[in-house]
Amino acid sequence: MTSTIERIAPFKNEVIKTFSDPADAEKMKAALAAVRARFGEHYPLVIDGQKVETEKKIRSLNPANPDDVVGLTSSASKEQANAAVEAAARAFESWKRTTPQERANYLFKAAEMMRTRRFDYDALLVLEVGKSWPEADGDIAEAIDFLEFYAREALRYAEPHPVVPMEGEQNEMVYIPLGVGAVIPPWNFAGAIMVGMTAAAIVTGNTVVLKPSSDSAIIAAWFVDLLHEIGVPKGVVNFIPGSGSVIGDLIVSHPQVRFISFTGSKEVGLHINELAAKPQPGQKWIKRVVAEMGGKDSIVVAADADIDAAVEGVAVSAFGFQGQKCSACSRAIVDEKIYDEFLDKLKARVAKITVGDPSDQKTYMGPVVNEGALKSIGEYIEIGKKEGRLIAGGKRVGEKGYFLEPTVIADVAPDARISQEEIFGPVLAVIKAKNFDHAMEIANNTEFGLTGSLYTTDDKKIERAKEDFFVGNLYFNRKSTGAFVGAHPFGGFNMSGTDSKAGGRDYLLLFMQAKTMSRKL
Ligand code: NAD
């Protein structure tokens, strides 16, 4: 007899659209107009399947033109956050008894629905967080990939797990869900990460309170509506936008919450980890925290590298989506033998980057996400000008949207602040290394360990980097961004997180616990 998993087509990544096909470009323009026509729409909380309006609202603004209110969500109070956790706890009692096949089918259906609405979701990301068209489509393609991948993974985990046979006993081990999870995603992969974290939690039989980032709450509202549209039972996913410090802390420390799935900054991740560690009255478990956090990612360029390829890889890794990826290259570590040539070529390449409104198909770099980001990145640029030599960018573009030039600061010391702290914007530090050993030493000198890349034509250097370059995702002769679900299980070491691998075969284990049963014969 074939198992369910064997009857399902093998997982395949979605193809990311380049929009070079004029038909795709036309559809995208129509979708942008359709999303604009919905500007100002209001999205309530969803608690136990009921829509709940609040007086207090969160406004999600278009960073390219902050006068545009992309949408408003209700903002959950402490009482409503408590109600959401209680609803999730009630729903868990029946949801945990559904079969993995049933739960996987919801993910397959959700993937199908997202495919049919792909251009609308793409357009929403362009307008809500300032992604260029291909970046937005990459984000939605990844969201669909997570749904398809985790559905198959849940079916795989539902298969029998071999245990060593023992005479006189019948033994088995199964994976069961944990309980209620607080799902707290960031705004930067507002589609993919929000969908992936939610999907992984529910397909394994848990129920969820989803607290989106205030900068990207509308896409989360769309997705929660989609889940209810396809019949996910009420209470399984509860939607509570709200302040991190008020309801974030509350859901993290709530005694009925069994686990927290968080992606975001190191500071907030560490705070959550600490809060979750303290047992509350009535709490019966040690909470599990899955925290995927920041990065300070390096691309090392060895003396023997193909310099043109390295320049291209550094430029797209540093400035794609304005450098607002946890995997973005924020440090290029370049061998002194090719340093000057590399810098000249990089400067010329960066000069070609277009900055502007991402709803225009020709734009490569859009705005940074909000006013706070504009200010803090601006402060780092000022620090960087003192710590090194500004060779490109450095200024704001225009006055209305939150646009910044792609900025390159050369001759930066390995221990300078802009070499060490996550800036999360279009700012690249270039560091000169004496030789390959020195470059490797610099590459490992931060507290993070998320992604890294090495450009070289020397296999020995590749072997050395495999041993010593301490990052969760290491690439050779390619950019440091653009991990694909299944192909590049993603997540970092050290202060980059709790060593999980989203989109990998062991990810769903983080949302389950194993139960062993032995029957005497
Ligand atoms: P952030 O830490 O500011 O916010 C992340 C989420 O936490 C948001 O939903 C926010 O509302 C919530 N939050 C804030 N305070 C909270 C609290 N006290 N309790 C509970 N929740 C709280 O991060 P961000 O600006 O949204 O995202 C950018 C960061 O995310 C960067 O550091 C980036 O490197 C990181 N990131 C990491 C990965 C990864 O896979 N490792 C992926 C994407 C982004």
Side-chain angles (χ1 to χ4, degrees):
M1 209 176 87
T2 54
S3 66
T4 319
I5 185 89
E6 283 164 349
R7 291 197 300 271
I8 291 169
F11 171 78
K12 242 176 60 209
N13 293 106
E14 286 290 309
V15 176
I16 298 174
K17 293 184 195 307
T18 58
F19 297 95
S20 52
D21 178 346
D24 282 347
E26 281 314 308
K27 284 184 198 153
M28 186 63 177
K29 282 183 198 151
L32 284 162
V35 173
R36 280 184 189 282
R38 295 177 66 179
F39 274 0
E41 204 169 298
H42 175 247
Y43 300 85
L45 316 176
V46 184
I47 300 175
D48 210 6
Q50 306 302 312
K51 306 233 166 190
V52 181
E53 301 274 355
T54 64
E55 217 161 278
K56 199 168 160 213
K57 304 277 190 265
I58 295 172
R59 291 173 347 134
S60 183
L61 308 178
N62 173 3
N65 178 9
D67 290 343
D68 294 341
V69 180
V70 176
L72 299 106
T73 65
S74 283
S75 177
S77 64
K78 287 187 172 183
E79 291 69 30
Q80 286 153 340
N82 274 323
V85 174
E86 281 156 24
R90 282 193 304 277
F92 179 62
E93 291 310 313
S94 45
W95 184 246
K96 70 181 180 189
R97 291 179 209 284
T98 55
T99 62
Q101 287 75 11
E102 202 177 320
R103 298 194 297 259
N105 279 339
Y106 284 118
L107 267 55
F108 288 132
K109 265 195 226 164
E112 206 38 59
M113 287 284 262
M114 284 194 84
R115 263 186 216 107
T116 61
R117 297 175 188 174
R118 178 132 163 197
F119 290 97
D120 294 333
Y121 274 98
D122 286 357
L124 178 58
L125 280 183
V126 170
L127 294 165
E128 192 172 28
V129 293
K131 292 208 168 192
S132 68
W133 293 17
E135 291 283 354
D137 192 65
D139 190 328
I140 299 306
E142 190 178 350
I144 297 169
D145 282 351
F146 277 134
L147 290 164
E148 293 279 350
F149 185 79
Y150 292 147
R152 287 171 176 77
E153 281 294 288
L155 296 174
R156 184 171 71 79
Y157 278 110
E159 302 271 293
H161 296 278
V163 284
V164 173
M166 182 154 271
E167 217 179 302
E169 278 187 11
Q170 189 184 42
N171 295 331
E172 60 181 316
M173 195 197 78
V174 296
Y175 287 103
I176 63 169
L178 293 173
V180 176
V183 173
I184 308 176
W187 53 265
N188 73 326
F189 279 85
I193 296 182
M194 178 271 302
V195 168
M197 290 165 75
T198 308
I202 65 173
V203 80
T204 41
N206 306 287
T207 56
V208 155
V209 287
L210 169 62
K211 195 214 82 61
S213 164
S214 302
D215 287 310
S216 59
I218 306 304
I219 190 165
W222 279 26
F223 182 64
V224 173
D225 279 350
L226 180 152
L227 291 178
H228 288 120
E229 224 178 302
I230 61 171
V232 170
K234 61 185 188 154
V236 171
V237 177
N238 301 275
F239 178 61
I240 48 163
S243 143
S245 57
V246 179
I247 66 152
D249 280 2
L250 183 146
I251 57 175
V252 168
S253 53
H254 197 294
Q256 279 175 285
V257 166
R258 174 67 176 79
F259 68 96
I260 295 104
S261 176
F262 166 83
T263 306
S265 61
K266 179 193 93 178
E267 289 71 23
V268 176
L270 290 179
H271 168 74
I272 286 176
N273 193 43
E274 194 177 338
L275 202 58
K278 190 171 169 9
Q280 302 296 327
Q283 184 178 321
K284 289 204 281 189
W285 42 66
I286 299 172
K287 289 184 190 182
R288 197 178 287 178
V289 176
V290 183
E292 306 185 44
M293 308 186 327
K296 189 72 194 170
D297 310 310
S298 303
I299 295 186
V300 172
V301 187
D304 51 66
D306 173 338
I307 298 180
D308 294 327
V311 163
E312 185 60 24
V314 167
V316 298
S317 304
F319 301 117
F321 188 37
Q322 299 77 266
Q324 301 171 116
K325 300 182 188 178
C326 52
S327 54
C329 169
S330 59
R331 319 191 314 158
I333 304 168
V334 184
D335 192 298
E336 65 181 15
K337 292 181 217 54
I338 53 158
Y339 187 80
D340 291 338
E341 184 184 351
F342 177 86
L343 275 191
D344 287 346
K345 288 186 163 169
L346 182 67
K347 200 173 161 184
R349 175 63 182 84
V350 170
K352 290 194 190 134
I353 291 176
T354 49
V355 181
D357 190 329
S359 46
D360 180 345
Q361 188 180 0
K362 292 190 288 299
T363 294
Y364 182 77
M365 247 181 70
V368 297
V369 74
N370 58 31
E371 206 172 349
L374 183 75
K375 190 162 169 284
S376 95
I377 300 164
E379 285 166 7
Y380 272 113
I381 292 174
E382 291 312 309
I383 295 167
K385 282 185 192 162
K386 295 193 191 98
E387 290 184 326
R389 175 166 57 100
L390 181 76
I391 65 159
K395 290 194 294 295
R396 184 174 180 179
V397 179
E399 279 164 18
K400 208 158 197 195
Y402 307 128
F403 297 98
L404 280 167
E405 290 175 332
T407 297
V408 182
I409 299 171
D411 308 346
V412 180
D415 59 351
R417 280 187 66 190
I418 66 158
S419 294
Q420 294 292 322
E421 297 171 22
E422 188 180 44
I423 301 172
F424 221 57
V427 182
L428 172 74
V430 188
I431 305 170
K432 192 191 279 186
K434 292 191 202 90
N435 50 39
F436 185 63
D437 281 346
H438 188 213
M440 290 304 303
E441 191 189 306
I442 300 168
N444 286 333
N445 82 344
T446 77
E447 62 182 345
F448 297 104
L450 192 44
T451 74
S453 174
L454 165 64
Y455 279 83
T456 181
T457 49
D458 178 359
D459 284 351
K460 282 205 201 80
K461 291 195 179 76
I462 289 182
E463 289 314 310
R464 161 86 196 280
K466 283 183 180 173
E467 287 283 318
D468 292 342
F469 201 156
F470 196 65
V471 291
N473 287 73
L474 180 58
Y475 301 103
F476 299 108
N477 296 320
R478 55 150 284 183
K479 60 184 181 169
S480 66
T481 54
F484 276 88
V485 170
H488 312 113
F490 189 83
F493 303 146
N494 292 345
M495 284 296 177
S496 293
T498 47
D499 317 311
S500 56
K501 280 281 185 272
R505 282 167 68 93
D506 41 11
Y507 188 69
L508 289 193
L509 280 178
L510 300 168
F511 302 87
M512 297 187 286
Q513 52 198 335
K515 181 170 183 175
T516 304
M517 290 164 284
S518 307
R519 179 177 181 170
K520 192 165 169 50
L521 295 174

